[in-house]
Amino acid sequence: MGTSDGKVKGSTKIVDAGPNTQRWNVAIVSEGYRESEMGQFAADAQQFANTLLAAAPFDRLRAAINIHRVDVTSTDSGAKDPKCGTSGGTGAKPKTYFDASFCTQGIRRLLVGNSGRVMNVVKKLVPQVHIALLEVNSPIHGGSGGSVATFSKAPGAVEIALHELGHTAFSLADEYEYSRDCRQGGHEKHSQSEPSQPNITTNKNRATTKWARLIKATTAVPTTVNANCKVCDPQPTPVPAGTVGLFEGADYFHCRVYRPEFDCRMRNIGMPFCAVCQQAIVKKLTPFLPT
Ligand SMILES: [Zn+2]
């Protein structure tokens, strides 16, 4: 188990925008790659870097971002995949350096490694690191936010990585309105208290809501209302894509909590970040731009 199941090989700066002391430093770490698979990890890390830097608003913040590849080998490929209720699980138990596993908290897609161990390795090699991602060499769909954003190699996994990075690096909330599925009980109405995350709100007052400045006077507020709080709102968007307003349903609840746009990367994988999420990212990374 753990660090006896592999080796820390070193780090390589694969995107260099300037001195580590002045830039925002991202580290991408390998998990479940055998020695013979490290060439594949180099290609996977480069693909992640390219996708990140092409996605808005990172495309206009390139001058602020360094990306470091951290090579760690494992004895075996993949991640633990325990039997997971009714949603499967192969029972595989590969020996890997960070002990990543699917089926965390009984949810198969929730893929988590030993975050403390990841940060220990990264801080030794890249002391100025701001955020670490763990890339898990498994074709099974999964990922997680938390202190280390984690993703696998399922189709579209780099898109999952950008969503998880939204949680880990920018404190963005999930903008989808369900946990297990759209009919699950206990997810009808959000508490009335205002969430801390920048991209969800319970305040439907046009003048005082969190992203009031981005809502046009001609946009209805709230912009959508869920007619049946027992389920997710099935209605299509009543406004053009990219319209900022108050759309009911977010943060795992069907009602009484609002998201800024009809869709966003924090709601659906593969969508761009909405204007409010982009604004939060820009605000955080602007201090790292060259003067
Ligand atoms: Zn958003």
Side-chain angles (χ1 to χ4, degrees):
M1 283 209 35
T3 54
S4 61
D5 295 323
K7 214 177 229 160
V8 178
K9 307 290 281 188
S11 67
T12 306
K13 198 171 184 180
I14 58 172
V15 173
D16 189 352
N20 292 348
T21 49
Q22 293 168 29
R23 300 289 172 261
W24 190 64
N25 293 285
V26 178
I28 176 161
V29 186
S30 55
E31 161 69 337
Y33 288 79
R34 288 174 291 150
E35 179 76 47
S36 62
E37 294 169 321
M38 294 314 284
Q40 183 60 50
F41 175 59
D44 294 342
Q46 190 61 52
Q47 194 207 350
F48 164 78
N50 296 347
T51 307
L52 175 74
L53 295 178
F58 300 105
D59 55 348
R60 50 184 200 271
L61 295 162
R62 283 171 173 247
I65 303 171
N66 287 339
I67 303 180
H68 307 261
R69 193 186 80 224
V70 175
D71 294 340
V72 180
T73 63
S74 288
T75 304
D76 297 326
S77 287
K80 292 178 182 61
D81 186 24
K83 302 276 176 218
C84 198
T86 53
S87 54
T90 60
K93 283 184 193 166
K95 293 187 168 80
T96 65
Y97 195 90
F98 296 110
D99 292 317
S101 181
F102 292 95
C103 196
T104 304
Q105 295 163 19
I107 300 169
R108 192 179 184 206
R109 68 172 192 273
L110 205 45
L111 171 64
V112 178
N114 185 323
S115 303
R117 196 176 298 155
V118 173
M119 290 315 296
N120 282 343
V121 168
V122 173
K123 278 179 180 161
K124 274 190 197 127
L125 295 166
V126 187
Q128 301 88 355
V129 66
H130 292 93
I131 210 76
L133 292 103
L134 190 63
E135 172 143 21
V136 179
N137 186 22
S138 165
I140 300 166
H141 181 88
S144 62
S147 60
V148 171
T150 301
F151 64 111
S152 71
K153 287 185 42 145
V158 176
E159 287 291 328
I160 295 175
L162 295 189
H163 171 98
E164 304 303 351
L165 192 67
H167 291 304
T168 302
F170 306 102
S171 305
L172 300 174
D174 280 318
E175 292 182 27
Y176 49 86
E177 66 220 78
Y178 56 87
S179 178
R180 193 182 62 227
D181 61 64
C182 273
R183 298 186 167 272
Q184 189 180 3
H187 292 265
E188 292 84 359
K189 290 177 180 172
H190 198 280
S191 76
Q192 293 297 79
S193 64
E194 178 67 357
S196 61
Q197 297 98 324
N199 62 328
I200 52 170
T201 185
T202 58
N203 179 3
K204 55 182 178 179
N205 181 311
R206 172 191 290 278
T208 61
T209 195
K210 232 172 229 167
W211 49 85
R213 288 193 308 129
L214 293 177
I215 303 175
K216 289 196 178 120
T218 49
T219 302
V221 167
T223 318
T224 60
V225 174
N226 186 355
N228 179 4
C229 293
K230 287 205 164 76
V231 296
C232 300
D233 190 348
Q235 71 177 304
T237 180
V239 291
T243 303
V244 177
L246 292 178
F247 298 80
E248 191 164 33
D251 197 28
Y252 324 118
F253 285 91
H254 307 147
C255 286
R256 286 194 188 169
V257 61
Y258 301 86
R259 60 189 193 275
E261 287 186 21
F262 187 79
D263 215 343
C264 173
R265 198 188 296 281
M266 296 313 290
R267 179 170 170 87
N268 277 307
I269 302 296
M271 297 302 298
F273 284 113
C274 72
V276 169
C277 288
Q278 289 201 33
Q279 184 176 263
I281 294 167
V282 170
K283 189 178 167 195
K284 178 135 187 189
L285 295 194
T286 296
F288 299 98
L289 285 168
T291 44

